[in-house]
Amino acid sequence: MIPVIGELRPWLDPTQLEMHRLPMRSSLPAGDGLRRSLDGNWLLRLFDHPDLVPAGAVRGATPEPNRQWQAVAVPGNWTLQVDGDAPHYTNVQMPFPGPPPVLPERNPTGVYRRSFTVPHGWSGRRVVVHVGGAESVHAVYVNDRFVGYGTDSRLPSEYDITDVVQTGANHIAVVVMRYSAHSYIEDQDQWWMAGLHRHVFIEARAEVDVADVAIVADYDPAARTGVLTALTTVSFGTAPAPGYTVRTRVETLGGRRVGVGAHQQVPHEHAAPYVFQGHRVVASWPALRVEPWSAESPTLYRVVIELLGPDDQVIDHTDQRIGFRRVEVRDRQLLVNDQPIWVFGVNRHDHHPDRGKAVTVDDMRADLVAMRAHNITAIRTSHYPNDPAFLDLCDELGFYVVAEANIESHGYNDSLCNDARYRAAWLDRGARMVTRDRNHPSVIIWSLGNESGYGVNHDALAGWIRKADPTRPVQYEDATRVEGWLDGGRAATDIVCPMYPSIAAIAEYALNPLADRPLIMCEYSHAMGNSNGSLADYWHTITTTPGLQGGFLWEWKDHTLRRRGPDGVSRLAYGGQFGDTPHDCNFVADGMMSADLEPRPALREVAWVYRPVTVTAVGDELQIENRQSFLGLGWLRARWEHLVDGSPVASGRLDLPDIAPRTSARVPMPSFGAGCEGDSERSLVVRWELQRRAWWAPAGHVVAWDEVTLGGERSAPVPVRVPVRVSGGEPIGMLLTSGPELNLWRAATDNDGFKLMPDLAVRLRIGGQALRRWQEAGVDRLDPADLVHHRSQVHDDEHGTTYRHVVEVPEDLADLARVGVMFTVSGRFDRMRWFGRGPHENYPDRRSSAMLAVWEADIDACPYLIPQEFGLRTDCRWLELIDRVSGQRVRVDAQSDALHMSVTRHLPADLFAAAHVDDLRSRDDVVVCIDVAHRGVGTASCGPDVLEPYRIPAGRHEFAYRLSASRG
């Protein structure tokens, strides 16, 4: 049995939060040579239950590697490194039945072992071991002695090991229990992992040291000055004594002093018991000449703290990077430095496809680089505190952060929030987060957690946070979900922060005169598969309706994991593919990026709706709107391009006035010269590029873009350049390997319905219902001619073969996937060129970012982990398929209104049958779909379905197109 705590079994007790754990403090850097990393290879032995861990497993010299003790990496998850205990994915449900706090019969428990050395130079100092994160709970043993126990897998635990270590060689054991009573409040939508997933180190601290530093760096926008208060807490390892002082100064990161330093005595005795507040020193500066911090201009300073002994010698020192800024909720707005901000946000999990929850600083930076390259400037740390290094980067690079407590009881949503057994855990998790992270300027909002109902435990935590840190608002989504948006949950949330609301709902709230809190969606536009429909509609409403400020997309990237299959091939896996049950299948694949950080097509739409500057036409002028809150547009250059029938005919640089933040100005329309008359389609594209290299992109990177229609009708059909018969006498019909034939079916998107989890839609009515309806009507398997009334005509002339179709959709088949035709051509046609929206994939409710021009690209590959409909280009005037070897071309010309077209190497049936993108096999032929109508994508996997304007109505659908062939 585990020594000391084995009979107590604290992991079964929700009230047992820690044993011998040091109080949380801010993340303070250590002096040179005073911190030693214990990251690297450890030895691990797994047991099926904590009760099966023998005392000898944590005692004695560090064992040698053998069949029982395997080398693993720390930080890391043993669930990805050793056999016998795999990752387990659930969304809402717990991985075991419960009820709280009951644990499963099998509770894998890992014993980590390694040796370490305490330098001789640390003699006379206190030694502390830091466990950055352990899932779920852990106990620490050093040199055979129990030193502490800790809970909360997403915050560090520190233990004083001074009395049990010696200079030279030592050994440590960390016992990690995979499940605990606290797992019930760590029930987030993510993989259940296990192990030491954050840094472990030992640190030497002075006998009398700086225990903590709490800084309030306010900014007064009216006076343009910083207001700073630094509260330094001193810890006495021996009896408190007089003569200790704290010296505090403020400086730029370059070392230039700001203001005059402070030098104050450390209180050491309770001479005045009702006044004494501890061994704390407060230094304050009421008016410092500083530059403010914001995500647009993240100016940082440094506060340096030195602790001097009675002999006036520095015995300890530390520093904190700070930013001066003020955050308020006032007049129905979230304000930073007295200015409302747009929340161009995204939800982000800690995740790596190979290391799981063990993410590196390079991983974090890669996420942030890609975010900023797509105009994302705000992050919600779903659903737990991140490593302090992540907040350091957000401070430095400029991101607004909603810091979220590691509290989610989704499986028991409405009970644990009022359960007295979990009250202390609620308070402890939120309070420790605030204590650690309050000095970070990037953190502008505290979140009480996620999807845990609403109860007295939330109110208790909110009250503590508001008292401890009145400089930031608090938010909690379930408070208003349970009690209502208008007046509900005020004790727990200063912001109405709903999940997946409809556009109509947020507009109705904002227009209600009783609505006095800002609305910022904590989750919206669920990015599962081919998704993110109506983003532009959301943002049109947000930007034109006071009281709405944006939100956080769900989510940044898939949290799939790489797994080697029986065939030896590694692939990204989702729930159930590790043998885990129960599971929630591919709900884990709901990001705008792949787990490998490959962008999905919808990310271009995100970049467009989050762009910092917009261009619209007003008469013969262009209106330029600066959507930033603090910066002008001098960091960008604007270039225009005049397009006629999709091709550029003129270009130049746009001359701009100085446009202040959150204002707009009008400039004359550029002069295009001759060649703009007639009925050709004409448009102006304005692109905004980086003037100079930024940390997130090179000079010339396109930050924002808009297209303005200048006039002209849709292009008339353009004759092909040579007769319809290509060299060798081959007619167009001979180049088609099948079709054209009527097509009403698309491989269902995740928003149409969960093809891998049909029970969710059929029995539980969860997610999109379109797939269920289509299958019940037989759309996926019946001849479409048996479902609708279809008439067609074919006509040959010197320009090609023209097809005219009339499709009558009955009322009971309204809201089909598509109405169009499909044909195939030889796979040697491996490139496409088109005049339509592009260059990226776009759909009727996700096409605002796609400019109307002539584009060229290779044939699309499926960009989604779960194969589904992909590759559409909307509003196509014409499309060419190109054989680059022979120069042959097959061309489709829309003969009436523009049509939607896609070119892939898969039939819809191929895509629908495949459970994983690696299961797809490209056909020898190229598959072309031409649609007069195509359903939008919406976000019904978790959120609103396709809006009515993007659904296919019953009734008459007419369209025509011409097929021709040529040699380029």
Side-chain angles (χ1 to χ4, degrees):
M1 185 170 286
I2 301 175
V4 182
I5 64 170
E7 293 183 358
L8 299 175
R9 295 183 178 85
W11 53 89
L12 299 176
D13 183 359
T15 70
Q16 187 67 58
L17 308 183
E18 52 85 14
M19 296 179 185
H20 305 315
R21 183 165 66 186
L22 294 175
M24 180 60 82
R25 65 177 194 165
S26 303
S27 300
L28 302 178
D32 293 342
L34 298 181
R35 180 176 291 175
R36 287 206 164 185
S37 173
L38 299 187
D39 294 348
N41 284 334
W42 289 55
L43 292 176
L44 173 72
R45 183 177 175 186
L46 281 184
F47 299 86
D48 280 345
H49 195 278
D51 289 349
L52 299 179
V53 178
V58 302
R59 290 175 174 163
T62 304
E64 295 295 325
N66 54 45
R67 293 180 61 185
Q68 292 183 323
W69 292 94
Q70 302 178 64
V72 295
V74 172
N77 294 117
W78 78 57
T79 36
L80 294 175
Q81 299 186 67
V82 300
D83 296 330
D85 192 29
H88 191 159
Y89 171 62
T90 61
N91 175 10
V92 175
Q93 60 189 327
M94 288 287 292
F96 47 85
V102 176
L103 300 183
E105 291 184 7
R106 183 174 185 267
N107 184 6
T109 301
V111 179
Y112 285 86
R113 297 291 305 269
R114 69 158 290 164
S115 300
F116 64 94
T117 300
V118 173
H120 289 279
W122 288 12
S123 180
R125 290 180 172 270
R126 289 183 291 170
V127 182
V128 170
V129 62
H130 172 104
V131 179
E135 187 174 350
S136 162
V137 299
H138 68 280
V140 182
Y141 298 80
V142 175
N143 294 338
D144 304 343
R145 299 270 298 278
F146 171 72
V147 297
Y149 168 86
T151 63
D152 191 343
S153 65
R154 301 295 186 260
L155 281 174
S157 296
E158 294 185 334
Y159 308 95
D160 191 327
I161 59 173
T162 307
D163 294 339
V164 299
V165 295
Q166 58 194 4
T167 56
N170 298 266
H171 56 85
I172 182 172
V174 182
V175 183
V176 181
M177 299 77 172
R178 180 168 187 178
Y179 300 120
S180 73
H182 292 267
S183 297
Y184 286 96
I185 55 173
E186 294 186 352
D187 182 22
Q188 291 100 349
D189 173 13
Q190 62 177 338
W191 292 97
W192 294 88
M193 293 288 198
L196 297 172
H197 59 90
R198 289 187 184 164
H199 300 294
V200 181
F201 57 79
I202 57 171
E203 182 174 291
R205 297 177 184 171
E207 188 71 21
V208 180
D209 74 335
V210 176
D212 195 15
V213 179
I215 296 171
V216 176
D218 187 20
Y219 183 75
D220 184 342
R224 297 185 178 181
T225 56
V227 182
L228 179 69
T229 301
L231 171 63
T232 300
T233 300
V234 174
S235 173
F236 285 90
T238 58
Y244 290 88
T245 59
V246 170
R247 197 160 58 195
T248 310
R249 69 177 186 270
V250 185
E251 62 185 29
T252 66
L253 295 189
R256 179 179 60 82
R257 292 209 178 186
V258 179
V260 178
H263 194 177
Q264 296 155 299
Q265 292 283 334
V266 178
H268 70 285
E269 61 181 352
H270 294 263
Y274 287 99
V275 176
F276 181 78
Q277 296 184 358
H279 310 294
R280 304 193 297 179
V281 168
V282 178
S284 59
W285 292 263
L288 293 172
R289 289 294 174 184
V290 294
E291 294 296 320
W293 184 98
S294 70
E296 295 170 22
S297 182
T299 303
L300 294 176
Y301 293 83
R302 183 183 293 111
V303 176
V304 180
I305 300 99
E306 295 174 317
L307 175 63
L308 287 71
D311 59 357
D312 283 340
Q313 297 299 306
V314 176
I315 60 174
D316 193 18
H317 69 279
T318 190
D319 63 79
Q320 291 282 277
R321 293 194 311 175
I322 63 163
F324 291 88
R325 55 103 185 95
R326 177 176 293 177
V327 182
E328 301 173 275
V329 170
R330 177 163 42 88
D331 300 328
R332 300 180 65 195
Q333 293 179 310
L334 173 67
L335 306 177
V336 174
N337 299 333
D338 215 27
Q339 297 298 315
I341 61 169
W342 294 121
V343 178
F344 297 139
V346 69
N347 283 273
R348 176 192 173 273
H349 268 290
D350 279 343
H351 185 75
H352 188 275
D354 300 302
R355 296 189 303 273
K357 290 296 175 186
V359 294
T360 66
V361 172
D362 286 343
D363 296 334
M364 301 172 196
R365 183 177 285 272
D367 278 351
L368 295 176
V369 167
M371 286 180 190
R372 184 54 65 85
H374 292 88
N375 298 325
I376 293 165
T377 57
I379 301 164
R380 176 173 174 238
T381 65
S382 54
H383 298 291
Y384 39 78
N386 284 189
D387 189 290
F390 183 76
L391 298 180
D392 288 340
L393 288 172
C394 291
D395 295 342
E396 171 194 342
L397 304 177
F399 286 87
Y400 298 121
V401 174
V402 173
E404 191 148 88
N406 183 24
I407 302 170
E408 180 168 345
S409 57
H410 209 152
Y412 295 86
N413 203 35
D414 296 321
S415 57
L416 297 189
C417 55
N418 290 304
D419 192 324
R421 295 173 298 174
Y422 284 92
R423 183 189 308 134
W426 238 265
L427 188 62
D428 187 64
R429 286 164 180 251
R432 279 166 40 87
M433 172 187 69
V434 171
T435 301
R436 189 196 70 168
D437 296 337
R438 59 190 167 192
N439 294 345
H440 289 279
S442 58
V443 176
I444 63 169
I445 299 171
W446 300 116
S447 168
L448 307 186
N450 186 64
E451 293 178 320
S452 302
Y454 177 44
V456 294
N457 293 345
H458 291 103
D459 289 348
L461 174 56
W464 188 96
I465 292 176
R466 285 194 174 111
K467 185 69 174 180
D469 178 25
T471 71
R472 295 175 175 92
V474 298
Q475 74 171 48
Y476 180 59
E477 180 267 337
D478 257 355
T480 51
R481 180 188 64 82
V482 172
E483 293 194 346
W485 291 8
L486 278 181
D487 204 41
R490 289 184 181 271
T493 188
D494 301 311
I495 297 167
V496 176
C497 49
M499 288 184 178
Y500 310 106
S502 68
I503 295 172
I506 64 175
E508 179 183 3
Y509 169 83
L511 295 173
N512 191 316
L514 299 179
D516 61 353
R517 290 177 288 184
L519 188 149
I520 301 170
M521 297 172 287
C522 73
E523 295 178 20
Y524 79 111
S525 194
H526 194 250
M528 188 172 179
N530 190 347
S531 188
N532 303 107
S534 285
L535 263 178
D537 298 309
Y538 270 101
W539 275 90
H540 174 74
T541 300
I542 290 167
T543 54
T544 58
T545 312
L548 305 179
Q549 286 185 258
F552 298 87
L553 294 154
W554 188 269
E555 67 174 312
W556 173 235
K557 64 183 178 185
D558 291 354
H559 33 122
T560 50
L561 296 168
R562 211 175 323 274
R563 175 180 177 272
R564 187 179 297 276
D567 56 1
V569 176
S570 292
R571 58 166 57 181
L572 291 171
Y574 47 80
Q577 295 191 317
F578 287 89
D580 45 318
T581 184
H583 65 83
D584 287 297
C585 204
N586 63 305
F587 231 90
V588 76
D590 52 7
M592 290 172 291
M593 286 272 194
S594 74
D596 284 324
L597 219 58
E598 291 293 328
R600 299 273 158 68
L603 200 52
R604 297 308 300 159
E605 194 84 351
V606 173
W608 188 83
V609 298
Y610 282 1
R611 66 203 188 283
V613 54
T614 68
V615 179
T616 53
V618 180
D620 58 354
E621 295 181 309
L622 295 177
Q623 179 158 304
I624 314 296
E625 180 183 357
N626 183 354
R627 300 169 82 187
Q628 300 171 110
S629 297
F630 305 102
L631 292 183
L633 299 177
W635 59 290
L636 298 172
R637 60 173 177 252
R639 299 188 183 277
W640 59 266
E641 193 173 56
H642 180 213
L643 306 182
V644 175
D645 287 337
S647 297
V649 297
S651 62
R653 185 163 178 170
L654 197 63
D655 293 326
L656 297 170
D658 183 22
I659 304 176
R662 297 187 71 88
T663 66
S664 62
R666 293 183 182 179
V667 299
M669 190 79 69
S671 177
F672 306 127
C676 302
E677 298 79 15
D679 60 359
S680 297
E681 290 188 87
R682 305 185 303 279
S683 65
L684 178 75
V685 175
V686 180
R687 295 182 175 88
W688 300 81
E689 304 172 346
L690 282 177
Q691 290 264 30
R692 292 173 293 278
R693 177 177 176 81
W695 61 264
W696 44 274
H701 169 83
V702 176
V703 171
W705 63 100
D706 277 293
E707 186 170 28
V708 173
T709 300
L710 299 177
E713 300 299 324
R714 199 192 73 76
S715 298
V718 179
V720 293
R721 293 169 296 215
V722 298
V724 64
R725 295 181 180 272
V726 299
S727 176
E730 189 177 18
I732 180 62
M734 298 299 292
L735 293 176
L736 305 188
T737 53
S738 70
E741 56 189 30
L742 183 64
N743 184 26
L744 307 176
W745 169 246
R746 74 181 182 193
T749 68
D750 288 316
N751 290 326
D752 294 335
F754 305 123
K755 70 177 183 182
L756 302 183
M757 300 176 284
D759 188 59
L760 291 183
V762 175
R763 185 173 63 86
L764 302 177
R765 291 296 193 268
I766 293 175
Q769 300 298 305
L771 172 60
R772 176 185 59 81
R773 290 188 285 100
W774 297 337
Q775 289 181 314
E776 289 174 352
V779 178
D780 60 326
R781 64 187 185 279
L782 299 179
D783 186 336
D786 295 335
L787 299 171
V788 299
H789 182 62
H790 173 223
R791 301 190 306 277
S792 64
Q793 294 178 336
V794 181
H795 174 70
D796 288 323
D797 60 23
E798 70 275 16
H799 298 306
T801 302
T802 298
Y803 296 81
R804 297 188 181 278
H805 300 267
V806 177
V807 179
E808 299 279 355
V809 177
E811 286 293 337
D812 61 354
L813 274 183
D815 198 17
L816 282 168
R818 70 195 328 156
V819 175
V821 297
M822 179 172 61
F823 63 86
T824 61
V825 300
S826 169
R828 61 188 173 86
F829 292 91
D830 57 358
R831 194 158 176 82
M832 58 182 182
R833 186 169 177 264
W834 72 99
F835 177 18
R837 295 197 177 274
H840 49 278
E841 167 194 286
N842 53 92
Y843 283 79
D845 60 351
R846 201 189 72 216
R847 60 181 171 183
S848 295
S849 60
M851 301 295 97
L852 189 61
V854 175
W855 306 101
E856 188 169 336
D858 290 337
I859 305 303
D860 285 330
C862 181
Y864 305 111
L865 185 75
I866 307 303
Q868 55 197 274
E869 160 66 31
F870 74 95
L872 197 71
R873 272 39 175 214
T874 62
D875 301 331
C876 289
R877 281 62 171 151
W878 52 259
L879 165 75
E880 288 183 335
L881 302 174
I882 305 168
D883 177 350
R884 284 181 285 188
V885 175
S886 69
Q888 284 183 317
R889 298 179 182 227
V890 172
R891 180 168 169 127
V892 184
D893 281 284
Q895 294 292 287
S896 49
D897 291 334
L899 300 172
H900 311 316
M901 304 184 189
S902 67
V903 184
T904 72
R905 297 188 182 277
H906 311 285
L907 293 173
D910 301 334
L911 295 169
F912 189 67
H916 193 284
V917 69
D918 287 353
D919 298 334
L920 282 178
R921 297 294 176 266
S922 294
R923 287 184 170 265
D924 293 335
D925 295 335
V926 170
V927 180
V928 181
C929 293
I930 304 172
D931 301 324
V932 64
H934 197 108
R935 192 179 197 260
V937 292
T939 61
S941 57
C942 189
D945 202 347
V946 174
L947 299 183
E948 195 63 36
Y950 309 114
R951 299 190 183 200
I952 300 176
R956 185 184 184 92
H957 299 270
E958 297 185 59
F959 61 106
Y961 54 91
R962 184 182 63 225
L963 295 181
S964 59
S966 68
R967 189 178 298 276

